Amino acid sequence: MSKSQHIGKAVVEENLITGFLNQPRIELHCMLLTRALTKQTPQLATKSISRANCFGSSIKMLPPLSDTFPDLIRSKFSSAVDAGSLTFTPSTEKDVPAGDLIFRVRVAPSLAQKPVPTREHDEAPKAKFNPFLNPEPDLFLCDLGDRYSLILNKFSIVPYHFLCITKKFEPQRAPLSEEDLSATWECLQANVKSGSRLLAFYNCGELSGASQEHKHIQFIPVPHDLKLLPDIALSYGIPVSKDAIGQFPTSHPGVAFAHFVLPVPKNPSTDDLVMRFSSLLARTLTTLREQGQRTISFNFAMTKDWMFLAPRGQESYGGVSVNATGMVGLLLAKSEEQLDFIKNTGPLEVTARVGLPRITEDEQQHDY
Ligand code: AMP
């Protein structure tokens, strides 16, 4: 990519971050974020501080999902498969241990048919079809408030994989807004499969593993007894802070890639969610800045118990594409060969190669 293309991309991403900072609740926490951004984009930081309004208006709370949502998703999933509108390919699973972590690797040849993203810098970019502007009726589940629709994933590897999409186009390169976090929390309440909890994830930026540019937060059921990386990271304890959150983000001590985890309290308010997201994003932006990344790419994952963010430096390693699910312990392989590659290389090495190295304790400034 040429220098001017890099600068153009940086301007777009700065605008997205400015939009994020200007949301009422996020402005409360903008000092954290502007501190993380200051050295990278001093003008942006100054603008954001001057626009900060700590008495911003409240957002409209989203109506809760209907109690019948789990039945709806199960019946719609079956009918969409029967109608041929949803491609479901059963996969095999292999657990690959890595220290006290287990990476569950799904081998799914259907991944090879996943749409390949059109990059901005392609020599002759073609107009890209946006499947989320007019979702297919067979995949449509319901609306969530005025701003979101819930739809089934057309190419499912995990049953009941669904997406929360914005009704109007919003860029996937923008961080999650306060309304997005509220919508995510609403969806996480649904008990779509017994014996499972929902994992929400958001692949943000061009190196994050996303294939669609229209904002979409995804949800898959994960077995209750499967401990993901953030579950294990939290089991090491959480440093206490004196701020409104009461805890500093933590990381798994045996994992080489930068990642940040915070527990989510029971029945969180939107403020609780925004504070945690802002705190994790501030560290993510600091890591991207300190390591000279020119593009803002990161993975977000969340359950009812925790929130996780990890900055990204590469989309794939050894042909294995990794998105947010991979970074928390659920890798996907397109073939048996890719499974062998993951086993031989080690899942912690694969994820470290697509993430960014951790900033050491000495380099980290624990002032936010
Ligand atoms: P990502 O690749 O992380 O950007 O996620 C986009 C998801 O949208 C993928 O899991 C795709 O399988 C899914 N998808 C692609 N096309 C459609 C469609 N027409 N309707 C619903 N989901 C789709």
Side-chain angles (χ1 to χ4, degrees):
M1 191 185 296
S2 72
K3 196 174 171 196
S4 64
Q5 281 172 317
H6 265 311
I7 292 167
K9 188 179 287 296
V11 169
V12 171
E13 287 174 353
E14 279 188 17
N15 289 339
L16 294 172
I17 296 286
T18 308
F20 173 80
L21 287 166
N22 283 336
Q23 298 169 87
R25 278 181 172 77
I26 286 162
E27 284 181 3
L28 290 170
H29 313 294
C30 76
M31 289 306 290
L32 298 180
L33 289 151
T34 47
R35 206 170 297 170
L37 282 163
T38 304
K39 286 186 204 153
Q40 188 178 19
T41 54
Q43 283 174 323
L44 166 64
T46 318
K47 264 190 286 179
S48 303
I49 290 171
S50 65
R51 283 187 209 164
N53 168 14
C54 291
F55 304 100
S57 59
S58 301
I59 62 159
K60 220 165 50 177
M61 290 305 290
L62 288 164
L65 278 176
S66 151
D67 291 345
T68 57
F69 179 72
D71 299 327
L72 174 73
I73 196 165
R74 288 191 284 261
S75 65
K76 272 277 190 173
F77 181 83
S78 302
S79 56
V81 171
D82 291 347
S85 309
L86 192 157
T87 306
F88 174 69
T89 304
S91 52
T92 52
E93 289 179 344
K94 173 81 189 163
D95 283 350
V96 183
D100 63 356
L101 296 166
I102 290 182
F103 279 74
R104 182 156 290 180
V105 185
R106 277 187 183 271
V107 187
S110 65
L111 274 182
Q113 291 151 26
K114 192 175 166 182
V116 176
T118 304
R119 300 281 184 229
E120 250 181 38
H121 55 274
D122 282 354
E123 286 199 358
K126 297 189 181 73
K128 198 184 165 204
F129 171 67
N130 178 354
F132 302 151
L133 262 190
N134 293 300
E136 292 179 35
D138 283 356
L139 303 175
F140 179 82
L141 294 167
C142 60
D143 283 334
L144 181 58
D146 302 333
R147 199 167 158 189
Y148 305 96
S149 297
L150 305 185
I151 64 166
L152 288 164
N153 185 344
K154 186 168 179 63
F155 306 102
S156 286
I157 296 144
V158 178
Y160 315 134
H161 182 163
F162 70 97
L163 282 66
C164 176
I165 56 174
T166 53
K167 282 173 177 271
K168 294 194 183 135
F169 177 81
E170 289 182 33
Q172 185 75 6
R173 279 190 283 158
L176 293 175
S177 68
E178 49 202 63
E179 274 194 295
D180 297 338
L181 290 166
S182 222
T184 302
W185 183 252
E186 277 316 320
C187 292
L188 283 174
Q189 311 304 307
N191 179 21
V192 302
K193 190 178 173 194
S194 65
S196 293
R197 60 176 170 166
L198 279 176
L199 172 71
F201 60 100
Y202 182 66
N203 302 316
C204 184
E206 71 169 296
L207 304 176
S208 66
S211 62
Q212 299 296 334
E213 290 168 11
H214 180 133
K215 198 175 233 188
H216 57 286
I217 305 149
Q218 309 188 52
F219 299 84
I220 50 169
V222 174
H224 270 304
D225 56 2
L226 179 66
K227 297 281 176 241
L228 298 173
L229 188 154
D231 295 304
I232 308 285
L234 288 174
S235 71
Y236 282 89
I238 310 134
V240 175
S241 73
K242 289 192 181 135
D243 62 12
I245 300 177
Q247 287 154 332
F248 281 121
T250 192
S251 301
H252 187 295
V255 171
F257 65 84
H259 64 283
F260 309 100
V261 186
L262 269 171
V264 173
K266 286 208 184 321
N267 305 314
S269 63
T270 304
D271 278 349
D272 289 330
L273 300 176
V274 167
M275 277 195 285
R276 280 157 184 77
F277 183 74
S278 303
S279 171
L280 300 174
L281 183 64
R283 282 163 171 78
T284 300
L285 293 173
T286 298
T287 308
L288 288 162
R289 182 200 73 211
E290 302 241 332
Q291 302 193 29
Q293 295 295 309
R294 288 174 183 253
T295 172
I296 296 175
S297 292
F298 64 87
N299 293 125
F300 161 89
M302 183 177 174
T303 63
K304 284 203 271 188
D305 304 314
W306 43 255
M307 227 185 244
F308 163 102
L309 253 78
R312 292 289 298 271
Q314 270 195 70
E315 199 271 338
S316 62
Y317 178 60
V320 178
S321 293
V322 181
N323 71 11
T325 57
M327 299 304 268
V328 296
L330 300 167
L331 283 163
L332 294 167
K334 287 180 193 167
S335 61
E336 289 293 335
E337 289 72 34
Q338 287 201 348
L339 171 64
D340 289 340
F341 175 78
I342 293 168
K343 283 198 283 193
N344 296 335
T345 310
L348 284 177
E349 178 66 12
V350 173
T351 44
R353 293 291 188 133
V354 298
L356 288 177
R358 292 163 76 135
I359 301 173
T360 62
E361 286 296 310
D362 293 348
E363 292 162 327
Q364 229 164 27
Q365 292 173 0
H366 276 305
D367 58 348
Y368 61 90

